[in-house]
Structures are given as structure tokens and as C-alpha cells.
Amino acid sequence: MILSSFTFSIEYSHALLFENSLNTEIVPFLNSLEEVKSLKLYKLITDIETGGQNLSLQIFLENMDKHKSIEANHKAKILSILDAKFAGKYVYFQSLLEEI
């Protein structure tokens, strides 16, 4: 099992709209992909001083090939959807984890 984790920090002034976009656009899109086994969206409660709200999108995939497919075929679309509305208002980092 592979976990692709996207952690977003979004300016407080745009946090609710960003969370709504994740829930209404990104999550349904990802759920429609055969590569995605499941996904979850979390709000970080750990205090990280970023000056914004922190959200974590956890995408569970069966194997590394599924991850590579998402990266090659869908990641740019996901980020372009967010950039169209929130360019300059958020930052993210991605972690890739393998279940042991």
C-alpha cells in the first residue's frame, strides 16, 4: 500500500473556499480514478506556524505503479484546478509513504 499525502497551507482568508474546492472538485475527481483505492481529507490540529489553515489530503494506492500513473496523468490537473482559484494563496508539500 502506498500513501500519497498532500499537505496544504492556505491563507486563513481563503481557507473555507479552499476546503470547499477540495471537497466538491478534487475529492470527487480523485474518487473517480481507478488508480485510487481510497482517500481521506484531514484538517491538521497540530500547531504549525504557517499563517494559515493546514489540510492534508491522503490518497491510498495499491502500488507504486498506481502512484506513478496519478503523477503522470492527473497531478497537473489537480494543481491547475487549485491554481485557477487560489494561486499565490497556498503552498503544499507532498510525502510518499509505503506501508510496512
Side-chain angles (χ1 to χ4, degrees):
M1 178 77 64
I2 302 294
L3 170 60
S4 179
S5 175
F6 287 83
T7 302
F8 298 97
S9 182
I10 179 75
E11 291 180 9
Y12 285 118
S13 60
H14 291 79
L16 289 176
L17 291 172
F18 190 86
E19 185 177 342
N20 185 58
S21 288
L22 288 176
N23 278 315
T24 61
E25 295 179 73
I26 304 302
V27 167
F29 171 69
L30 286 168
N31 275 328
S32 75
L33 303 176
E34 70 89 13
E35 296 95 336
V36 175
K37 183 170 183 163
S38 65
L39 61 87
K40 296 185 183 234
L41 182 60
Y42 294 95
K43 189 177 295 184
L44 274 70
I45 56 175
T46 302
D47 187 22
I48 302 173
E49 295 184 25
T50 61
Q53 177 66 56
N54 299 295
L55 302 168
S56 179
L57 180 61
Q58 308 283 308
I59 306 167
F60 297 88
L61 309 153
E62 290 180 8
N63 55 49
M64 189 60 76
D65 289 337
K66 303 279 186 185
H67 164 71
K68 289 177 183 176
S69 177
I70 295 284
E71 288 287 306
N73 301 311
H74 306 294
K75 182 178 177 180
K77 178 178 179 173
I78 293 164
L79 295 177
S80 71
I81 290 169
L82 295 174
D83 283 344
K85 296 179 181 179
F86 305 104
K89 304 295 182 192
Y90 78 99
V91 295
Y92 82 96
F93 69 90
Q94 182 179 7
S95 301
L96 192 60
L97 301 96
E98 182 175 25
E99 185 176 25
I100 54 172

